Amino acid sequence: YDHTHHTKLNLKEPLPGSWYPLVSAIKWLMYVDRYQGLDRLMAHDVDRHAYYVAWPGTRNQVGCGMSGNKCIFGERRSTMVGDHYPTDLYHYDVQTGACVPFRVSDSEKSQFAHDGELIVYRAYNGPGQAAVRAIPFNGGPEVEVAARDAVEPSVCGPIVAWAEASGD
């Protein structure tokens, strides 16, 4: 939507697949899409209407969030730990193209949410070992928000919410 002219913009043709948007920054739309048999972090240059694999990898990637030039994404390891594939987080700078490790741990991370300051997610370490965890967007230690198998966490400022099964 163009706020200046109050018109809808169609920047590109719809792509097939199971992609979901992370957010846009500067002139980039970042998302994860199934491409060449892998879930990959993709980037779309809204000025040139070009899209490409943002960070090439040989393993499935998951999107976490974006703020300014910084895109945080996860990449699943190729080797299982117990019954899951751990997800390592990376910081990708869309302006410089630099990509550096952000968080390495043995949990499989999913269901990401962020508010530009904090990233929250479901962390699974094996049967009976799931929790809601968080890490500041600018780095720092990972913290446990809830030591329970909760789903669909959400964050807004100092408030983190999630859903739990009622047991009924």
Side-chain angles (χ1 to χ4, degrees):
Y1 183 76
D2 181 337
H3 294 281
T4 305
H5 301 98
H6 305 289
T7 59
K8 180 180 175 184
L9 299 176
N10 293 310
L11 299 178
K12 65 178 189 70
E13 292 299 314
L15 294 174
S18 58
W19 67 277
Y20 52 93
L22 298 180
V23 77
S24 61
I26 313 169
K27 62 176 190 162
W28 299 100
L29 173 64
M30 305 295 289
Y31 57 94
V32 173
D33 195 4
R34 190 98 178 142
Y35 180 71
Q36 296 177 336
L38 291 172
D39 294 329
R40 298 187 185 218
L41 179 66
M42 305 291 286
H44 174 79
D45 180 334
V46 298
D47 290 337
R48 295 184 296 148
H49 307 296
Y51 59 94
Y52 60 93
V53 175
W55 189 253
T58 58
R59 298 181 303 269
N60 283 324
Q61 297 171 339
V62 293
C64 303
M66 191 163 182
S67 180
N69 295 338
K70 181 186 283 190
C71 179
I72 305 296
F73 73 96
E75 189 167 85
R76 304 258 191 248
R77 290 192 208 148
S78 58
T79 306
M80 288 182 82
V81 172
D83 67 341
H84 64 280
Y85 291 93
T87 308
D88 297 324
L89 301 181
Y90 294 87
H91 163 215
Y92 176 66
D93 187 313
V94 297
Q95 190 169 23
T96 67
C99 186
V100 296
F102 186 71
R103 175 72 184 160
V104 176
S105 72
D106 284 337
S107 68
E108 183 173 293
K109 298 165 189 64
S110 63
Q111 302 177 10
F112 297 92
H114 79 90
D115 65 355
E117 299 292 324
L118 189 67
I119 300 170
V120 296
Y121 48 89
R122 181 179 184 267
Y124 176 79
N125 284 86
Q129 298 178 20
V132 175
R133 294 199 181 124
I135 188 168
F137 216 93
N138 62 359
E142 179 182 55
V143 297
E144 188 168 79
V145 175
R148 50 180 33 104
D149 191 3
V151 296
E152 300 301 334
S154 183
V155 61
C156 184
I159 299 172
V160 177
W162 58 88
E164 294 182 12
S166 65
D168 294 334

